[in-house]
Amino acid sequence: METNPIPVLTVQTSPFDDQRPGTNGLRKKTAVFEGKKNYLQNYVQSVLSSIDLRDRQGCTMVVGGDGRYFTRTATEVIVQMAAANGIGRLVIGHNGLLSTPAVSCIIRKIKAIGGLILTASHCPGGPTGDFGIKFNIANGGPCPDTVMDKIYQVSRTLEEFTICPDLRIDLSRVGRQDFDLENKFKPFRVEIVDSVDVYLNLLRGIFDFNAIKGLLTGPEQLKIRIDAMNGVMGPYVRRILCDELGAPANSAVNCVPLEDFGGQHPNPNPSYAVSLVESLKGGEFGFGAAFDSDGDRYMILGQNGFFVSPSDSLAVMSANLSCIPYFRQTGVRGFARSMPTSTAIDRVAKAMKVALYETPTGWRFFGNLMDSGRCSFCGEESFGTGSDHIREKDGLWSVLVWLSIMASRKQSVEEIVRDHWAKLGRNFFCRQVLTFDYDALDPRAAFYLMKDLEAVITEKAFPSQKFAVGNNVYSVEKADNFEYIDPVDGTVARNQGLRIIFSDSSRIIFRLSGAGGGMGATIRIYAETFERDPERHNRETQVVLGPLIAIALKLSNIHDRTGRRGPTVIT
Ligand code: G6P
Ligand code: ZN
């Protein structure tokens, strides 16, 4: 206990006009957080002020992040401001490290009022990279739009913040640290917790660890390679997959969290997890996985580099949930996917007679469905899958689902996927081929492109149109700007992406990325088509979807309007 009470200061500031949080909280270049005076403090104050005073006084919050550059400084400021703003207790990951799923898990476990996650997810880190702050609410999930609006409103008129600049904590010391503050009756408490413990305990109650251990250590041991991409997942992979589940230590690579992720994009897809793809192509490993920096996204590879697309992963998992004790106990109440995600899971839902919800992009839309018991399992095309065990997508949990399925079905990754296609048909959908990220495109140009396209596809005559490309003819069945009414609280989310659905159930979707960050606009194009015939399941995704992409490019006239000849990045 400190002897002298720590002073609480009120500091004058001026508002910033660009602190509207996006899909993933407030994400900016690190230099903005680091270099602009009070930028961080203003945002933290806006988040704290958005919490009703009665809820805030004496409450508990969780803080942790992916360990990227500036995390320590930001954590210190958050601690000093949380104390000054009446928060009673902060639970912080050891050395500031907590994966996003672990934060969600801890918030729920200790009934915290919410948490702050310091991450810019799969974006690069370091002084020239990105930094971000996400605010999760009491259910453990990302805050809904209403809260994001409130934070933004506060940030626009903010004139002062409160802080205890003399309060110093030791992030490397697990345990309690209490501080007496001026004008406070009770001490402010910081608890530094092991980054993995609570999350590991949750997983123990979900999976059959012995079955997975048998797969990874038995006589016919499955050799795996797991790439933590130098993000926060290293300690989780080592503890859970190696120590607990018996995978040999050399199964796990890039397991030391680095402030700049070794200069890499910690983005688990075939373009960025190149060395993992190469190792798997070598044939030695039967299973491969990579995570993003904060551990909510993942990628699965089979032997010889067989890539499981996120939409297929979602559908295959949904069809095999009975391999997991958790779902055998709780039952499967319903599925949900974001609108652009392929409709492969819809076919599973139909076969299993389970409800399927189609939500806008962004994990926060799953929150109400899960809280109200409507949905047990959900996911998105952007490499995220999860369930109602927490309120975030969960990369390592997804890997354990896959390993459980392999242990139970005694099949390889590729066999499991091919069996799935043979049974229910294959939905060709591949964001790698179809995502056109026009980074740094003038936001107005992107806005007008979408507006004009909306006008075209919502014309009365549009649904009777046919498009012929080569031998393929596609007849429009329905086209709209996707709108979602939350079945729980009735909130309406408009303008969530333009979709064109054809009579053969093929789809083309256009949407503006919601990640924002003041770095221009990103337009995404998704395409999907269904193929029942197993003889045709081996065709190249790019070839199969070529005609739909051609239609998308023509309809939007995107190349002429943006002055680009092709996508900036194909992920
Ligand atoms: C974040 C959210 C995801 C969402 C993604 C969409 O990562 O956590 O739930 O799928 O953003 O990103 P986009 O750039 O397509 O809006
Ligand atoms: Zn992430």
Side-chain angles (χ1 to χ4, degrees):
M1 189 75 80
E2 304 272 323
T3 39
N4 291 327
I6 296 173
V8 180
L9 299 191
T10 299
V11 179
Q12 304 304 309
T13 187
S14 326
F16 294 95
D17 60 6
D18 65 345
Q19 296 197 325
R20 180 191 278 284
T23 328
N24 246 334
L26 188 70
R27 189 180 291 173
K28 299 281 172 193
K29 286 280 163 214
T30 311
V32 175
F33 280 102
E34 193 177 24
K36 276 196 184 174
K37 186 160 185 265
N38 295 339
Y39 195 84
L40 170 70
Q41 288 82 347
N42 273 26
Y43 188 66
V44 173
Q45 185 63 57
S46 304
V47 171
L48 294 173
S49 298
S50 77
I51 307 169
D52 198 277
L53 194 61
R54 277 164 307 176
D55 297 333
R56 209 199 310 154
Q57 288 299 331
C59 77
T60 298
M61 285 185 81
V62 181
V63 181
D66 61 16
R68 68 181 59 224
Y69 174 79
F70 198 58
T71 296
R72 272 177 188 275
T73 313
T75 306
E76 277 158 19
V77 169
I78 288 169
V79 172
Q80 294 169 346
M81 293 185 66
N85 279 276
I87 308 289
R89 175 169 75 132
L90 283 187
V91 172
I92 307 179
H94 191 203
N95 291 319
L97 296 178
L98 283 176
S99 72
T100 290
V103 172
S104 185
C105 162
I106 296 173
I107 291 174
R108 294 169 68 78
K109 170 87 187 165
I110 65 172
K111 300 198 167 32
I113 194 174
L116 291 168
I117 312 179
L118 310 182
T119 177
S121 201
H122 53 287
C123 300
T128 57
D130 297 331
F131 189 78
I133 304 183
K134 270 174 70 171
F135 176 46
N136 281 24
I137 55 173
N139 74 353
C143 65
D145 289 6
T146 43
V147 177
M148 296 203 285
D149 286 343
K150 205 164 162 191
I151 295 172
Y152 180 54
Q153 291 313 331
V154 177
S155 77
R156 286 170 46 155
T157 52
L158 195 78
E159 286 176 346
E160 56 185 39
F161 59 85
T162 51
I163 189 162
C164 301
D166 296 343
L167 197 160
R168 298 260 176 266
I169 53 154
D170 181 356
L171 279 175
S172 66
R173 183 157 60 86
V174 171
R176 286 181 181 167
Q177 299 167 41
D178 282 347
F179 302 90
D180 265 338
L181 303 191
E182 238 177 42
N183 314 330
K184 295 271 176 344
F185 298 117
K186 286 192 184 159
F188 168 69
R189 171 167 293 177
V190 170
E191 273 175 54
I192 309 291
V193 296
D194 178 86
S195 306
V196 185
D197 280 350
V198 179
Y199 176 73
L200 166 60
N201 270 332
L202 177 70
L203 294 189
R204 274 203 192 102
I206 294 175
F207 295 100
D208 179 347
F209 269 33
N210 283 332
I212 303 176
K213 202 167 181 174
L215 178 77
L216 299 179
T217 58
E220 285 171 40
Q221 183 207 76
L222 172 75
K223 288 190 82 178
I224 66 173
R225 167 139 295 196
I226 309 294
D227 193 334
M229 310 277 279
N230 305 312
V232 78
M233 288 309 285
Y236 294 84
V237 169
R238 283 198 170 146
R239 265 288 283 298
I240 299 172
L241 277 170
C242 302
D243 300 351
E244 289 283 323
L245 295 168
N250 62 5
S251 313
V253 296
N254 298 322
C255 280
V256 179
L258 299 176
E259 284 200 331
D260 67 346
F261 311 121
Q264 311 289 313
H265 278 250
N267 198 348
N269 64 45
S271 318
Y272 291 113
V274 184
S275 65
L276 180 74
V277 175
E278 287 310 313
S279 324
L280 266 287
K281 278 187 180 157
E284 185 189 346
F285 303 102
F287 181 89
F291 304 105
D292 72 343
S293 66
D294 62 322
D296 52 357
R297 300 183 189 212
Y298 71 101
M299 171 180 71
I300 302 290
L301 298 173
Q303 194 150 27
N304 304 320
F306 180 84
F307 170 67
V308 186
S309 80
S311 292
D312 275 341
S313 181
L314 182 69
V316 168
M317 283 190 199
S318 71
N320 288 284
L321 291 178
S322 60
C323 300
I324 321 284
Y326 177 86
F327 293 104
R328 287 203 296 271
Q329 278 148 26
T330 61
V332 174
R333 285 182 285 270
F335 297 148
R337 63 162 170 81
S338 67
M339 184 274 279
T341 304
S342 107
T343 53
I345 188 175
D346 302 32
R347 295 175 192 276
V348 179
K350 203 167 163 211
M352 286 173 63
K353 299 196 172 51
V354 162
L356 183 282
Y357 297 87
E358 183 177 40
T359 61
T361 293
W363 205 262
R364 63 192 185 280
F365 291 101
F366 297 133
N368 275 350
L369 296 176
M370 293 195 278
D371 289 349
S372 64
R374 284 172 168 79
C375 165
S376 306
F377 173 82
C378 52
E380 300 182 293
E381 44 62 44
S382 53
F383 293 78
T385 312
S387 88
D388 58 358
H389 67 295
I390 54 171
R391 293 294 180 276
E392 280 281 2
K393 45 192 181 275
D394 192 341
L396 186 53
W397 172 90
S398 303
V399 164
L400 297 196
V401 170
W402 265 97
L403 293 175
S404 304
I405 297 172
M406 292 175 80
S408 154
R409 297 186 53 138
K410 304 195 176 7
Q411 283 180 304
S412 71
V413 172
E414 184 167 349
E415 283 163 354
I416 292 168
V417 174
R418 289 196 184 279
D419 269 9
H420 184 94
W421 292 340
K423 207 165 145 206
L424 291 172
R426 177 173 182 185
N427 286 71
F428 284 91
F429 173 100
C430 198
R431 203 176 101 148
Q432 288 88 322
V433 184
L434 303 159
T435 300
F436 291 71
D437 289 344
Y438 288 88
D439 289 323
L441 180 71
D442 179 351
R444 279 166 311 177
F447 175 81
Y448 287 116
L449 188 146
M450 293 292 281
K451 270 274 151 258
D452 292 348
L453 184 58
E454 180 176 0
V456 171
I457 70 161
T458 52
E459 259 174 40
K460 227 170 150 201
F462 193 72
S464 57
Q465 285 221 23
K466 289 190 188 340
F467 292 90
V469 183
N471 295 330
N472 303 68
V473 180
Y474 298 90
S475 313
V476 178
E477 192 170 280
K478 180 181 166 183
D480 63 6
N481 189 339
F482 182 63
E483 208 175 277
Y484 177 68
I485 303 172
D486 187 300
V488 179
D489 62 18
T491 318
V492 183
R494 296 204 167 82
N495 213 10
Q496 297 296 321
L498 304 176
R499 48 175 194 175
I500 305 168
I501 304 170
F502 298 94
S503 58
D504 67 348
S505 80
S506 296
R507 302 191 307 162
I508 299 174
I509 289 141
F510 298 82
R511 62 175 279 279
L512 288 174
S513 159
M519 290 171 263
T522 299
I523 297 174
R524 300 201 191 283
I525 303 175
Y526 314 80
E528 166 180 24
T529 200
F530 177 67
E531 179 60 68
R532 187 84 201 73
D533 182 2
E535 301 275 296
R536 295 164 66 85
H537 287 168
N538 273 333
R539 297 172 70 215
E540 274 293 314
T541 300
Q542 223 160 326
V543 174
V544 176
L545 295 173
L548 284 171
I549 299 174
I551 296 169
L553 296 180
K554 189 170 162 227
L555 265 178
S556 58
N557 199 12
I558 200 163
H559 287 169
D560 283 349
R561 293 190 59 152
T562 60
R564 301 279 184 89
R565 297 187 62 102
T568 323
V569 190
I570 301 177
T571 51

